Amino acid sequence: MFSKTCEYAIRASIFIAAQSYQDKRVTIKDIAENIDSPKSFTAKILQILAKKEIVHSIKGIGGGFEIPKENIKRINLAQIVIAIDGDSIFKSCGLSVNHCCDQHPCPLNKKFKSIRNDLAKMLDSTCLEELVLDVNSGESFLI
Amino acid sequence: MFSKTCEYAIRASIFIAAQSYQDKRVTIKDIAENIDSPKSFTAKILQILAKKEIVHSIKGIGGGFEIPKENIKRINLAQIVIAIDGDSIFKSCGLSVNHCCDQHPCPLNKKFKSIRNDLAKMLDSTCLEELVLDVNSGESFLI
DNA sequence: AAAGAAATATGATTTAAATCATATGAAATA
DNA sequence: TATTTCATATGATTTAAATCATATTTCTTT
């Protein structure tokens, strides 16, 4: 469904948000350990998220990553997915038929659109905050 | 969503079925040309489909691939997807969290399950026949 | 100002998927 | 039975994603 990169991005974002929610800033090492991801690879992903202003990075001693509390409500999964994988998951043809569209549909066009729409709706309506609450209350896990 | 291999498998199956529906047998070359896929790669995929008895292969002059008419009704997309990609798409965690399950759910477990179920339902309820009819009537395209 | 701790930037390596190429085997027909 | 046409089998190559490694930059603290 998502690329591994995107999965790590989502898990990292949730973790950072969960810590920021408790006023804690986290380093790459913290993140990698707590979401069980390769450290350098995670660093690369965080750079992208920082550039897209999904996470905020602070260099130097005491630095790390955080997500301002106001943003935890505002950031949704769709933004993260788009930042990493682009919007192909929302638009691309399920059978990779060239130029598949309503005027020139693949045999699955209609049925796929419905599922893709559900996915898009879900990603769009799921903000970090609700995921953070679940993680912080021990109802769900990142590892 | 699906691997490229699986996409080719689905398109090839639809094409073969569409031709079989009109009592025509097709060669690998025909298939590759008509679904715009790499020929040798397609051959490899067809071997798998033949072993899983989704398509029927006939060697020698006049040979090729076909899907017996009775089967065009019976074969659904889920069977093809499982033959190629396995059932991971129906079961795997959207965030690749280790051992994600109801007792140890990732933050997206619930929401993903709902979408995966819709997908499974769609693949299960879509048989080759309905796709073939669309293709043969010119309503949808494989290329 | 110096030292240390952090992110950033870049490039190399590994792995897996996708693709290409070719030799082999089986069936039909002449 | 020889030849041709097809699928089958196998392995090599390419490509892209994932991972690893390291040098550089920035910031903080002393």
Side-chain angles (χ1 to χ4, degrees):
Chain A
M1 187 81 81
F2 305 132
S3 67
K4 216 124 212 347
T5 309
C6 189
E7 293 174 351
Y8 289 141
I10 295 174
R11 279 156 60 191
S13 299
I14 296 175
F15 176 68
I16 296 168
Q19 298 304 109
S20 292
Y21 202 81
Q22 305 170 338
D23 299 304
K24 288 180 197 155
R25 189 178 286 167
V26 291
T27 68
I28 291 176
K29 187 163 171 285
D30 291 332
I31 299 169
E33 283 172 358
N34 281 281
I35 69 171
D36 187 27
S37 65
K39 206 179 102 183
S40 318
F41 191 30
T42 306
K44 232 174 221 179
I45 297 169
L46 288 168
Q47 279 179 47
I48 301 174
L49 294 178
K51 261 186 198 136
K52 308 256 177 171
E53 299 185 327
I54 289 170
V55 302
H56 181 217
S57 78
I58 300 97
K59 286 186 176 181
I61 293 177
F65 293 87
E66 61 185 24
I67 300 181
K69 276 187 182 174
E70 323 76 273
N71 291 352
I72 297 181
K73 277 190 195 60
R74 281 205 278 271
I75 299 172
N76 63 32
L77 290 179
Q79 292 170 259
I80 301 174
V81 170
I82 289 172
I84 302 293
D85 282 349
D87 61 0
S88 68
I89 198 171
F90 302 116
K91 308 199 304 190
S92 70
C93 168
L95 298 181
S96 290
V97 163
N98 272 350
H99 319 297
C100 174
C101 61
D102 290 348
Q103 282 69 49
H104 181 87
C106 82
L108 289 184
N109 181 285
K110 237 182 191 163
K111 297 182 180 223
F112 247 87
K113 191 179 293 181
S114 141
I115 287 175
R116 263 195 276 115
N117 284 346
D118 290 348
L119 178 65
K121 213 175 295 173
M122 185 274 268
L123 295 177
D124 221 65
S125 66
T126 305
C127 71
L128 281 183
E129 187 176 48
E130 71 172 289
L131 304 174
V132 161
L133 292 175
D134 280 1
V135 167
N136 279 345
S137 72
E139 281 170 54
S140 69
F141 305 88
L142 292 171
I143 205 169
Chain B
M1 186 81 83
F2 305 132
S3 68
K4 217 124 212 350
T5 309
C6 189
E7 293 175 350
Y8 289 142
I10 294 173
R11 280 155 61 190
S13 299
I14 296 174
F15 176 69
I16 297 168
Q19 297 305 110
S20 293
Y21 202 81
Q22 305 169 337
D23 298 305
K24 288 179 196 154
R25 190 178 285 167
V26 290
T27 67
I28 289 177
K29 186 162 170 283
D30 293 331
I31 298 169
E33 283 172 358
N34 282 280
I35 69 169
D36 188 27
S37 65
K39 207 178 100 181
S40 315
F41 191 31
T42 307
K44 232 173 221 179
I45 297 169
L46 288 168
Q47 279 177 49
I48 302 174
L49 294 178
K51 263 187 197 136
K52 307 256 178 169
E53 299 186 327
I54 288 170
V55 302
H56 181 216
S57 78
I58 301 99
K59 286 185 178 180
I61 293 177
F65 292 88
E66 60 185 25
I67 300 181
K69 277 187 180 174
E70 327 71 275
N71 291 353
I72 297 180
K73 278 191 195 59
R74 282 205 278 270
I75 299 171
N76 62 33
L77 290 179
Q79 291 170 259
I80 301 174
V81 171
I82 289 172
I84 303 293
D85 282 349
D87 60 0
S88 68
I89 198 172
F90 302 116
K91 308 198 300 189
S92 70
C93 168
L95 299 181
S96 291
V97 164
N98 272 350
H99 320 298
C100 173
C101 62
D102 290 347
Q103 282 69 48
H104 182 87
C106 82
L108 290 185
N109 180 285
K110 241 184 188 159
K111 296 180 181 225
F112 247 87
K113 191 179 291 180
S114 142
I115 288 176
R116 264 195 276 113
N117 283 346
D118 289 348
L119 178 66
K121 215 176 290 172
M122 185 275 269
L123 295 176
D124 221 66
S125 65
T126 305
C127 71
L128 281 183
E129 188 175 48
E130 72 170 288
L131 304 173
V132 161
L133 292 175
D134 281 1
V135 167
N136 279 345
S137 73
E139 283 171 54
S140 69
F141 305 88
L142 291 171
I143 205 169

